[in-house]
Amino acid sequence: MSSNGSAAWRVYLSGEIHSDWRERIADGVREAGLAVELLAPVTDHSASDDVGVDILGPESDSFWKDHKGAGVNAVRTQTLLRSADVVVVRFGDKYRQWNAAFEAGYAAALGKPLVTLHDPELTHALKEVDRAALATAETPEQVVEILTYAVAGPGVPR
Amino acid sequence: MSSNGSAAWRVYLSGEIHSDWRERIADGVREAGLAVELLAPVTDHSASDDVGVDILGPESDSFWKDHKGAGVNAVRTQTLLRSADVVVVRFGDKYRQWNAAFEAGYAAALGKPLVTLHDPELTHALKEVDRAALATAETPEQVVEILTYAVAGPGVPR
Amino acid sequence: MSSNGSAAWRVYLSGEIHSDWRERIADGVREAGLAVELLAPVTDHSASDDVGVDILGPESDSFWKDHKGAGVNAVRTQTLLRSADVVVVRFGDKYRQWNAAFEAGYAAALGKPLVTLHDPELTHALKEVDRAALATAETPEQVVEILTYAVAGPGVPR
Amino acid sequence: MSSNGSAAWRVYLSGEIHSDWRERIADGVREAGLAVELLAPVTDHSASDDVGVDILGPESDSFWKDHKGAGVNAVRTQTLLRSADVVVVRFGDKYRQWNAAFEAGYAAALGKPLVTLHDPELTHALKEVDRAALATAETPEQVVEILTYAVAGPGVPR
Amino acid sequence: MSSNGSAAWRVYLSGEIHSDWRERIADGVREAGLAVELLAPVTDHSASDDVGVDILGPESDSFWKDHKGAGVNAVRTQTLLRSADVVVVRFGDKYRQWNAAFEAGYAAALGKPLVTLHDPELTHALKEVDRAALATAETPEQVVEILTYAVAGPGVPR
Amino acid sequence: MSSNGSAAWRVYLSGEIHSDWRERIADGVREAGLAVELLAPVTDHSASDDVGVDILGPESDSFWKDHKGAGVNAVRTQTLLRSADVVVVRFGDKYRQWNAAFEAGYAAALGKPLVTLHDPELTHALKEVDRAALATAETPEQVVEILTYAVAGPGVPR
Amino acid sequence: MSSNGSAAWRVYLSGEIHSDWRERIADGVREAGLAVELLAPVTDHSASDDVGVDILGPESDSFWKDHKGAGVNAVRTQTLLRSADVVVVRFGDKYRQWNAAFEAGYAAALGKPLVTLHDPELTHALKEVDRAALATAETPEQVVEILTYAVAGPGVPR
Amino acid sequence: MSSNGSAAWRVYLSGEIHSDWRERIADGVREAGLAVELLAPVTDHSASDDVGVDILGPESDSFWKDHKGAGVNAVRTQTLLRSADVVVVRFGDKYRQWNAAFEAGYAAALGKPLVTLHDPELTHALKEVDRAALATAETPEQVVEILTYAVAGPGVPR
């Protein structure tokens, strides 16, 4: 017997916004028929960058423009992150993605199960983040397999 | 992909009870079709003031009348505040509204994402409260835009 | 506008099991049409006293009989107490009801809104418990009024 | 009156995977018609042992093979354990089952009501774990009786 | 090797104020040379009853007199209880001592190790409180022995 | 016997900075010989207002000047508030002092014992804050008496 | 620059009581001159087994004898475990040592840094416990090296 | 009056290890005579990288070498971070420093006051981390000024 509860698992997908990794996980989750709700930050880069000044008025100093934007985005990300059952954090090879590492640290302190996703060449740079994770995957498909195992158990053919 | 979860967000609207800001936010949320539940304290001023003695018996000393009333109101407000995902706090230009600032502090200590709403002339007086907020809006419509972005993402036309 | 959320409030009714106060609250809640789920310990006195030895085997020493019984009851009461939004604690004039005071302290430490219910002649003996409560009622009907105000607001005729 | 809430109770069944105790509890819960969701780790021993390397790639060192597997399993078990209302931990006479004791300690620190299940000959070895439990049962049927009492009350014939 | 740390243990002695049990524990702790700081509520009954009105002004209604007094006492008791490592709660045969049971519940919810102290004839009435305790003693001298064992280990002759 | 522990109590004095209430409490504490450490925000008004831009550079927009200043002050106030055993909050008749109410709410959510201090004419406006407090004083000398009772007990002549 | 703070680190040594591993760690810590306080359960096996009945009176049923003893020991172990900065858990090849695994789980849930210590042949049986640890050592000397690095940094020759 | 408590503040300096920023803060703190204890990770890069395999044995796979090393370093960093009153995080222009952002997120979730330190050209990349901070400095000397203000108040000449 292997029971996982009837409520959908809430899985927050943090990090990189310039590749299709979230879509690949969403496709895999759908194909596996998993009771999983995928949560994500806003991934439209320019909308995300400009949302603060778009809604709350322009800033001449870019520090404050960023500050406003980061605040509005955090209304979403903090709410989703705090409500998540599992947190997956993706690091790509572009940009510094300090936000991804920040959210990984935030999730770790809250005791959320953490899965990291990145290419092997980032291993050394990410060693502290990976150390806090329960699994480190290299492909979105591996994340889908982890979620399938966690949510549905090994009875589901992979 | 941008996913916000299927459960409605619980947004607690704290503060001023003598203007129509809650209705304007409710209208905006309804028009935007957001999955948001708006929560609020009792906003009928005299009912709120008298509820303690109305239910639990009269008091000759106004301190204890207020004490009783504040207690009964807190059964509602503490329950809603603790269950909220996001807390919006409105400060108007009338009355001292220490209760609004108290609830902002309470929410901040619980780690709830906080949005403040007030006219620019209150900026200096509210600097510590605004510092703890993720966004400071001047109009209810800006709050609706923030909730729209947070809950539904930028794909929804504003 | 006055909004209380769509989910039913969970209200745990702790304390006295030898009078009909829970039924009177249940009647009042039903009549008022409140979205309230009432939770309670097992109130069948002898079933509650004997459940430990009934299920887990007899004890010759009454201390351990009580210990077993209190454990099995606590599986229920701790789960319900921890899941409650509001806790009402009733003290009657019979028995020592230390369990009621224990649950009041437990609820207070968890930050749950607390309402006490007892006759005025117990005021001095209960002063520390009442101090931790947001309201002290003398009748079950007053508790219903408090719940009506908290859950449905003053728009509902009382 | 005796009310237990309308939401199903989430009961996590931790420990031994080489006997049919979970099935016997599931049968009993079904027969009693309890509003209980049973949660469990993956109980397919070899799937559980191999899941880390199956998904994330082979390891030559068995320590790291185990480490990977334990991580993927923990994505499931930590999520279920943290979401559970009640935790039942079964100790059998085979294997060391340190994981069961680890999960009992984890649950105890989170304040979850804990029930242990084992044969009397393990009493001395398990005294610290039993001390942290609210009840110690010898048979799965006793666990069903405890859940019946906790969830449905004594009105339900056992 | 048996090490207990160099800092003195803070032990809060809650409950009955009309017998010499605290002095007997203090004597025993001193004789055993334990690194223990004993903490206590104010045990001067009339000072404790009157402190609210003595400091903050008279009340005509005894409910509010008690309310004020209980508040001032709680400044002390909550601070000490929250800072304690271990909590001992004494129940005597006089008075209802709901405050003792309230503090036991408060301490239990905070995860503090709890020891109860009372005569055997109170066993049935205190079963839920005793269930939450790690030990139930009948004499202050037994409490001293428990503290001696816990703080200094068995190497210290008792 | 009445024991309060050997460590000095940390008492944070929040609120009004334009009267001598902190000095009067400090004088009283010193005269009573209490083991109390008084903690406070920076009370030099212009230093406090300007510290953000003084240290981190000028701002043309007063909102951001205030934001910077409030941040630097919060490094101090959050640290002290979180480390305090007891929090006293003073409201005067000048300025809006929303920061005082914010800190009261923050302290309440952390479970810190709270004492308010204000003139009776502010009672109605402060009813929610006073409701969360264990005592409401009108003079700094009353606060000293409360601290004396809490820290040293009634044996110390007042 | 490498600073570790002036306060001694509190390191709780949980687990096996039938070998000299605690002494070897104590020797190593002393030789390295580390600012470390070592904490431990009572390691006198028969004193530990009998302490419950020795202090609180005899039991005819061995379950309750063990229950009493485990309670008194837990007064010590829970207090030390909760106060520890770092927890080291040792598993030997004798006895089942479920208590060690229980304490590891308890420490993990509290977020304490965890180090495990055991022979390589126990690796498979301990994989879930090791997964929750920050390091797995095979010898007490390795634990000393880890503590030396953590407390004093690499500047101290090993 | 302006009081900051007698205990030294514990300030954890997270992040970049390839410049002298910690020394400059240490110099400033010493010159200002502040009651501040500076805490830091091990900043010897190669010692930090190799500590896992140095103590616990070699690894052929660099992922596991890093994993071991990150674990041993985390024994230190998690302990210090959790014990800190204030956390300062430095981002330099070299390396990815995901660990710094991870620790910032961890500290933020624990509610620690956070100060970031970096050059203005990193502003956009660090906007989410800066949003969670109470102050963003560009030089170590500004951090010293913030600490001086927070710890000693404006009376100390800067």
Side-chain angles (χ1 to χ4, degrees):
Chain A
M1 195 203 67
S2 165
S3 182
N4 66 342
S6 63
W9 290 41
R10 294 172 65 87
V11 177
Y12 180 70
L13 304 177
S14 173
E16 195 194 24
I17 60 172
H18 300 93
S19 73
D20 65 350
W21 70 281
R22 284 190 185 83
E23 283 72 15
R24 286 164 65 187
I25 290 178
D27 290 348
V29 160
R30 193 166 37 240
E31 281 162 28
L34 302 182
V36 164
E37 270 197 287
L38 297 174
L39 312 172
V42 167
T43 56
D44 175 332
H45 195 159
S46 71
S48 166
D49 270 5
D50 294 338
V51 67
V53 294
D54 276 358
I55 296 179
L56 298 170
E59 292 294 330
S60 52
D61 183 335
S62 68
F63 182 87
W64 298 119
K65 180 197 166 189
D66 281 338
H67 200 73
K68 272 185 169 174
V72 173
N73 278 289
V75 173
R76 177 183 180 98
T77 54
Q78 282 193 14
T79 302
L80 294 179
L81 188 51
R82 294 173 71 94
S83 77
D85 295 308
V86 175
V87 175
V88 179
V89 191
R90 162 71 184 167
F91 295 88
D93 54 1
K94 283 198 232 155
Y95 304 97
R96 297 194 178 236
Q97 303 175 72
W98 279 318
N99 190 33
F102 179 86
E103 293 194 344
Y106 200 96
L110 296 181
K112 310 271 183 189
L114 193 66
V115 175
T116 49
L117 170 61
H118 59 80
D119 288 347
E121 58 262 37
L122 298 181
T123 287
H124 188 62
L126 281 166
K127 61 183 184 295
E128 292 89 358
V129 182
D130 285 346
R131 192 59 184 79
L134 290 175
T136 295
E138 296 181 15
T139 69
E141 286 68 35
Q142 287 175 320
V143 174
V144 172
E145 291 191 70
I146 291 169
L147 293 176
T148 301
Y149 181 87
V151 175
V156 174
R158 276 173 283 135
Chain B
M1 195 202 68
S2 166
S3 182
N4 66 340
S6 62
W9 290 42
R10 293 173 66 87
V11 177
Y12 181 70
L13 304 177
S14 173
E16 195 194 23
I17 60 172
H18 301 93
S19 73
D20 65 348
W21 70 280
R22 284 190 185 82
E23 284 72 16
R24 286 163 65 186
I25 289 178
D27 289 349
V29 160
R30 195 167 35 241
E31 280 162 28
L34 301 182
V36 163
E37 270 197 286
L38 297 175
L39 312 172
V42 167
T43 56
D44 175 333
H45 196 160
S46 70
S48 166
D49 270 5
D50 295 338
V51 67
V53 293
D54 275 358
I55 296 179
L56 299 170
E59 292 294 330
S60 52
D61 183 335
S62 68
F63 182 86
W64 298 119
K65 181 197 165 188
D66 281 338
H67 199 73
K68 272 185 169 175
V72 174
N73 278 289
V75 173
R76 177 183 179 99
T77 55
Q78 282 192 14
T79 303
L80 294 180
L81 188 51
R82 293 173 72 93
S83 78
D85 296 308
V86 174
V87 175
V88 178
V89 191
R90 162 72 185 168
F91 294 88
D93 54 1
K94 282 198 232 154
Y95 303 98
R96 296 194 179 238
Q97 303 175 71
W98 279 320
N99 191 32
F102 179 85
E103 293 194 343
Y106 200 96
L110 296 180
K112 310 272 182 189
L114 194 66
V115 175
T116 48
L117 169 62
H118 60 80
D119 288 346
E121 58 263 37
L122 297 181
T123 288
H124 188 62
L126 280 166
K127 62 183 182 296
E128 292 89 358
V129 182
D130 285 346
R131 192 60 184 80
L134 290 176
T136 295
E138 296 181 13
T139 68
E141 287 67 35
Q142 287 175 320
V143 174
V144 173
E145 290 192 70
I146 291 169
L147 292 176
T148 302
Y149 181 86
V151 175
V156 173
R158 278 173 283 134
Chain C
M1 195 202 68
S2 167
S3 181
N4 67 342
S6 63
W9 289 43
R10 293 171 66 86
V11 177
Y12 181 69
L13 304 177
S14 174
E16 196 194 23
I17 60 173
H18 301 93
S19 73
D20 65 349
W21 71 279
R22 284 190 183 82
E23 284 71 17
R24 287 164 64 187
I25 290 178
D27 289 347
V29 160
R30 196 169 32 243
E31 281 162 28
L34 302 182
V36 163
E37 270 196 288
L38 297 175
L39 312 172
V42 167
T43 56
D44 175 333
H45 197 159
S46 70
S48 167
D49 269 6
D50 294 338
V51 67
V53 294
D54 275 359
I55 296 179
L56 299 169
E59 291 294 330
S60 51
D61 182 336
S62 67
F63 182 88
W64 298 119
K65 181 197 166 189
D66 281 337
H67 198 73
K68 272 184 168 175
V72 174
N73 278 289
V75 173
R76 177 181 179 100
T77 54
Q78 283 193 13
T79 303
L80 294 180
L81 188 52
R82 294 173 71 93
S83 78
D85 296 308
V86 174
V87 175
V88 178
V89 190
R90 162 73 184 166
F91 294 88
D93 54 2
K94 283 198 232 153
Y95 303 97
R96 297 193 177 239
Q97 302 175 72
W98 280 319
N99 191 32
F102 179 85
E103 292 193 345
Y106 200 96
L110 296 181
K112 309 272 182 190
L114 194 67
V115 175
T116 48
L117 169 64
H118 60 81
D119 288 348
E121 59 262 37
L122 298 180
T123 288
H124 188 62
L126 280 166
K127 63 184 184 295
E128 292 89 359
V129 182
D130 285 345
R131 192 60 184 79
L134 290 176
T136 294
E138 296 180 13
T139 67
E141 287 66 36
Q142 286 175 322
V143 174
V144 173
E145 291 192 72
I146 291 168
L147 292 176
T148 301
Y149 180 86
V151 175
V156 173
R158 277 174 283 136
Chain D
M1 195 202 67
S2 166
S3 182
N4 67 341
S6 64
W9 290 42
R10 294 172 66 87
V11 177
Y12 181 70
L13 304 177
S14 174
E16 195 194 23
I17 61 173
H18 300 93
S19 73
D20 64 350
W21 70 280
R22 284 190 185 81
E23 284 71 15
R24 287 164 64 186
I25 290 178
D27 290 347
V29 160
R30 195 169 33 243
E31 282 162 27
L34 302 183
V36 163
E37 270 197 287
L38 296 175
L39 312 173
V42 167
T43 55
D44 174 333
H45 197 161
S46 71
S48 166
D49 269 6
D50 294 338
V51 68
V53 294
D54 275 0
I55 296 179
L56 299 170
E59 292 294 330
S60 51
D61 183 335
S62 67
F63 182 87
W64 297 119
K65 181 196 166 189
D66 282 337
H67 199 73
K68 271 184 169 175
V72 174
N73 278 289
V75 173
R76 178 183 179 100
T77 54
Q78 283 193 13
T79 303
L80 294 180
L81 188 51
R82 295 173 71 93
S83 78
D85 296 308
V86 175
V87 176
V88 179
V89 191
R90 162 74 185 165
F91 294 87
D93 55 1
K94 284 197 231 153
Y95 304 98
R96 296 192 178 238
Q97 302 174 74
W98 281 319
N99 190 33
F102 179 85
E103 293 194 343
Y106 200 96
L110 296 181
K112 309 272 183 189
L114 194 66
V115 175
T116 49
L117 170 62
H118 59 81
D119 288 347
E121 59 262 36
L122 298 181
T123 286
H124 188 62
L126 280 166
K127 61 184 184 295
E128 292 89 358
V129 183
D130 285 345
R131 193 58 184 80
L134 290 176
T136 295
E138 295 181 14
T139 68
E141 287 67 35
Q142 287 175 320
V143 174
V144 173
E145 290 192 71
I146 291 169
L147 292 176
T148 302
Y149 180 86
V151 175
V156 173
R158 277 174 281 134
Chain E
M1 194 201 69
S2 166
S3 181
N4 66 340
S6 63
W9 289 42
R10 294 172 66 86
V11 177
Y12 181 70
L13 304 176
S14 174
E16 195 196 24
I17 60 173
H18 301 94
S19 74
D20 64 349
W21 70 279
R22 285 191 184 81
E23 284 72 16
R24 286 163 65 187
I25 290 177
D27 290 348
V29 161
R30 193 167 36 243
E31 280 161 28
L34 301 183
V36 163
E37 270 196 288
L38 296 175
L39 312 173
V42 166
T43 56
D44 175 333
H45 197 159
S46 70
S48 167
D49 270 5
D50 295 337
V51 66
V53 293
D54 276 359
I55 296 179
L56 298 171
E59 291 294 330
S60 51
D61 183 334
S62 68
F63 182 86
W64 297 120
K65 179 195 167 189
D66 281 337
H67 199 73
K68 270 184 169 175
V72 174
N73 278 289
V75 173
R76 178 184 179 98
T77 55
Q78 282 193 13
T79 303
L80 294 180
L81 188 51
R82 293 173 72 92
S83 79
D85 295 309
V86 175
V87 175
V88 179
V89 189
R90 161 73 184 167
F91 294 87
D93 53 2
K94 283 198 235 155
Y95 304 98
R96 296 192 178 238
Q97 302 175 71
W98 280 319
N99 191 33
F102 179 85
E103 293 194 345
Y106 200 96
L110 296 181
K112 309 272 182 189
L114 194 66
V115 175
T116 48
L117 169 63
H118 59 80
D119 288 347
E121 58 262 37
L122 298 181
T123 287
H124 188 62
L126 280 166
K127 62 183 183 297
E128 292 89 359
V129 183
D130 285 346
R131 193 58 186 79
L134 290 175
T136 295
E138 295 180 13
T139 68
E141 286 66 36
Q142 286 175 322
V143 175
V144 173
E145 289 192 73
I146 291 169
L147 292 176
T148 302
Y149 181 85
V151 175
V156 173
R158 277 173 284 136
Chain F
M1 194 202 69
S2 165
S3 181
N4 66 340
S6 63
W9 289 42
R10 294 172 67 87
V11 178
Y12 181 69
L13 304 177
S14 175
E16 195 195 24
I17 61 174
H18 300 95
S19 73
D20 66 348
W21 70 280
R22 284 191 185 81
E23 283 72 14
R24 287 164 63 186
I25 290 178
D27 289 348
V29 161
R30 195 167 35 243
E31 281 162 27
L34 302 182
V36 163
E37 270 197 287
L38 296 174
L39 313 173
V42 166
T43 56
D44 175 333
H45 195 160
S46 71
S48 166
D49 270 5
D50 295 338
V51 66
V53 294
D54 275 359
I55 296 179
L56 298 170
E59 291 295 331
S60 51
D61 182 336
S62 67
F63 182 87
W64 297 119
K65 181 196 166 189
D66 281 338
H67 199 73
K68 271 184 167 176
V72 173
N73 278 289
V75 173
R76 178 184 179 99
T77 54
Q78 282 193 12
T79 303
L80 294 179
L81 188 52
R82 293 172 71 92
S83 79
D85 296 307
V86 175
V87 175
V88 179
V89 190
R90 161 74 184 165
F91 294 88
D93 55 0
K94 283 198 235 157
Y95 303 97
R96 298 193 178 237
Q97 302 175 73
W98 280 318
N99 191 32
F102 179 85
E103 293 195 345
Y106 200 96
L110 295 181
K112 309 272 183 189
L114 194 66
V115 175
T116 49
L117 169 63
H118 59 80
D119 288 348
E121 59 262 37
L122 297 181
T123 287
H124 188 62
L126 281 167
K127 62 183 183 295
E128 291 90 358
V129 183
D130 285 346
R131 192 59 185 78
L134 290 175
T136 294
E138 294 181 14
T139 69
E141 286 67 34
Q142 287 175 320
V143 174
V144 173
E145 290 191 74
I146 291 169
L147 293 176
T148 302
Y149 180 86
V151 175
V156 173
R158 275 174 285 135
Chain G
M1 195 201 68
S2 165
S3 181
N4 65 341
S6 63
W9 290 41
R10 293 172 66 87
V11 177
Y12 180 70
L13 304 176
S14 173
E16 195 195 23
I17 62 172
H18 301 93
S19 75
D20 66 348
W21 70 279
R22 285 192 183 80
E23 284 71 18
R24 286 164 65 186
I25 289 178
D27 289 349
V29 160
R30 193 166 37 242
E31 281 162 28
L34 301 182
V36 163
E37 270 196 289
L38 296 174
L39 312 173
V42 167
T43 56
D44 176 332
H45 196 159
S46 70
S48 166
D49 270 5
D50 295 337
V51 68
V53 293
D54 276 0
I55 296 179
L56 298 170
E59 291 295 331
S60 52
D61 183 334
S62 68
F63 183 87
W64 298 119
K65 180 196 165 188
D66 281 338
H67 200 72
K68 271 185 169 174
V72 173
N73 277 290
V75 174
R76 177 183 180 99
T77 54
Q78 282 193 12
T79 303
L80 294 180
L81 188 51
R82 293 174 71 93
S83 78
D85 296 308
V86 175
V87 175
V88 179
V89 190
R90 162 73 183 167
F91 294 88
D93 54 2
K94 282 197 234 154
Y95 303 97
R96 296 195 179 235
Q97 302 175 71
W98 280 319
N99 191 33
F102 179 84
E103 293 194 344
Y106 200 96
L110 297 180
K112 310 273 182 187
L114 194 66
V115 175
T116 48
L117 169 63
H118 60 80
D119 287 348
E121 58 262 37
L122 298 180
T123 287
H124 188 62
L126 280 166
K127 61 183 184 296
E128 292 89 358
V129 183
D130 285 347
R131 193 58 185 80
L134 291 175
T136 295
E138 295 180 13
T139 67
E141 287 66 36
Q142 286 175 322
V143 175
V144 173
E145 290 192 73
I146 291 169
L147 292 176
T148 302
Y149 181 85
V151 175
V156 173
R158 277 172 284 134
Chain H
M1 195 202 67
S2 164
S3 181
N4 66 340
S6 64
W9 290 40
R10 293 172 67 87
V11 178
Y12 181 70
L13 304 176
S14 173
E16 195 195 24
I17 61 172
H18 301 94
S19 74
D20 64 350
W21 70 280
R22 284 191 185 80
E23 283 71 16
R24 286 164 65 186
I25 289 178
D27 289 348
V29 160
R30 194 167 36 242
E31 281 162 26
L34 302 182
V36 164
E37 270 197 288
L38 296 174
L39 312 172
V42 166
T43 55
D44 176 332
H45 196 160
S46 71
S48 166
D49 270 6
D50 295 339
V51 67
V53 294
D54 275 0
I55 295 179
L56 299 170
E59 292 294 332
S60 51
D61 183 335
S62 68
F63 182 87
W64 297 120
K65 180 195 167 189
D66 281 337
H67 199 73
K68 272 184 169 176
V72 173
N73 278 289
V75 173
R76 177 183 179 100
T77 54
Q78 283 193 13
T79 304
L80 294 179
L81 188 50
R82 293 174 71 94
S83 78
D85 296 308
V86 175
V87 175
V88 179
V89 189
R90 161 73 183 167
F91 294 88
D93 55 1
K94 282 198 233 154
Y95 303 98
R96 296 192 179 236
Q97 303 175 72
W98 280 318
N99 191 33
F102 179 85
E103 293 195 342
Y106 200 96
L110 296 181
K112 310 273 183 188
L114 194 66
V115 175
T116 49
L117 169 62
H118 59 81
D119 288 347
E121 58 262 38
L122 298 181
T123 287
H124 188 63
L126 281 167
K127 62 183 183 296
E128 291 89 358
V129 183
D130 285 346
R131 192 58 185 79
L134 291 175
T136 295
E138 295 180 14
T139 68
E141 287 67 36
Q142 287 175 320
V143 174
V144 172
E145 291 191 72
I146 291 169
L147 293 176
T148 302
Y149 180 85
V151 176
V156 173
R158 275 171 287 135

